[in-house]
Amino acid sequence: MASPESEVAPTATTRITYSTASDRLNLAGGAATTLLAAHGHVPQMVLPNMTRSTMQIQYPHPSGNAESAQVTLITHLDDDETASVPTMLASFASQHPDSPRSDRRVVDVVTLDIPAWQAVALRNQLQQQKFFRRSRVLNAEVELAVDEPSGRFGKSFHSVPEFDALLLRAAMEGRQLRPNPTPQI
């Protein structure tokens, strides 16, 4: 991650949407767990089983604060409805984060504020990992979309440990926006 001094917060709104199976994150023994452990967190079954987690990072912050970004994490049941995630990501990026599609059976919605430089560094990391190249990724684990003033781009992609770590951090530290009902499975 870059330091705050080396990054400049953008003025135009950018949204990054990252969607993955929650069970993959709960079972992860890899880099995301290592990154969280380095910050004093020990994630164990942070997300409900058999759900899908969709994280949206918006910067500058919707409140107008150019120094921060808002992370919104929506956890919804993972069923056949979520098989069309790329289509849902396109519509999700244009919707207000607290009004997700009702057919996705939302389990939980939380938000977390982060420094804008961190959001910019995550976006820059996608550039370094050649996310914006039109190519097919073998063994894709996540759906990723970027909506910015220069255009929209999304595709199935490999997991990104820093995004996984931020998603888990939002699940543990985020401020709840919606009641957390017990899902009927």
Side-chain angles (χ1 to χ4, degrees):
M1 297 299 254
S3 69
E5 297 82 29
S6 67
E7 300 292 345
V8 176
T11 56
T13 300
T14 297
R15 288 186 183 95
I16 302 171
T17 305
Y18 186 80
S19 183
T20 187
S22 301
D23 291 339
R24 181 185 72 77
L25 293 173
N26 284 335
L27 298 174
T33 304
T34 303
L35 284 170
L36 282 172
H39 295 292
H41 300 290
V42 182
Q44 293 181 335
M45 302 305 286
V46 174
L47 302 161
N49 284 327
M50 298 174 61
T51 60
R52 186 159 195 87
S53 295
T54 302
M55 176 177 67
Q56 184 179 69
I57 304 166
Q58 181 176 339
Y59 62 95
H61 196 285
S63 70
N65 181 356
E67 300 299 317
S68 66
Q70 183 179 62
V71 175
T72 302
L73 175 62
I74 299 174
T75 306
H76 48 90
L77 293 182
D78 191 9
D79 56 18
D80 292 338
E81 293 285 326
T82 61
S84 62
V85 171
T87 303
M88 289 173 19
L89 282 177
S91 64
F92 176 77
S94 64
Q95 293 176 0
H96 190 271
D98 62 2
S99 60
R101 288 178 37 171
S102 60
D103 63 23
R104 290 181 10 204
R105 299 184 293 173
V106 172
V107 175
D108 199 14
V109 179
V110 297
T111 64
L112 177 71
D113 291 343
I114 61 172
W117 66 262
Q118 186 178 9
V120 171
L122 287 167
R123 196 271 180 217
N124 290 342
Q125 184 172 7
L126 293 177
Q127 185 76 34
Q128 292 171 353
Q129 292 189 13
K130 304 194 183 340
F131 167 73
F132 297 100
R133 280 193 179 167
R134 298 218 181 269
S135 62
R136 185 172 296 212
V137 175
L138 299 176
N139 300 320
E141 300 170 300
V142 303
E143 296 294 328
L144 191 54
V146 177
D147 182 5
E148 53 193 356
S150 62
R152 294 180 182 171
F153 188 78
K155 67 180 181 181
S156 298
F157 201 59
H158 59 81
S159 62
V160 181
E162 290 79 5
F163 280 84
D164 288 346
L166 181 58
L167 193 152
L168 290 170
R169 181 177 160 218
M172 291 185 293
E173 299 175 9
R175 179 177 52 90
Q176 195 160 353
L177 290 181
R178 185 175 172 140
N180 188 3
T182 304
Q184 300 283 328
I185 301 178

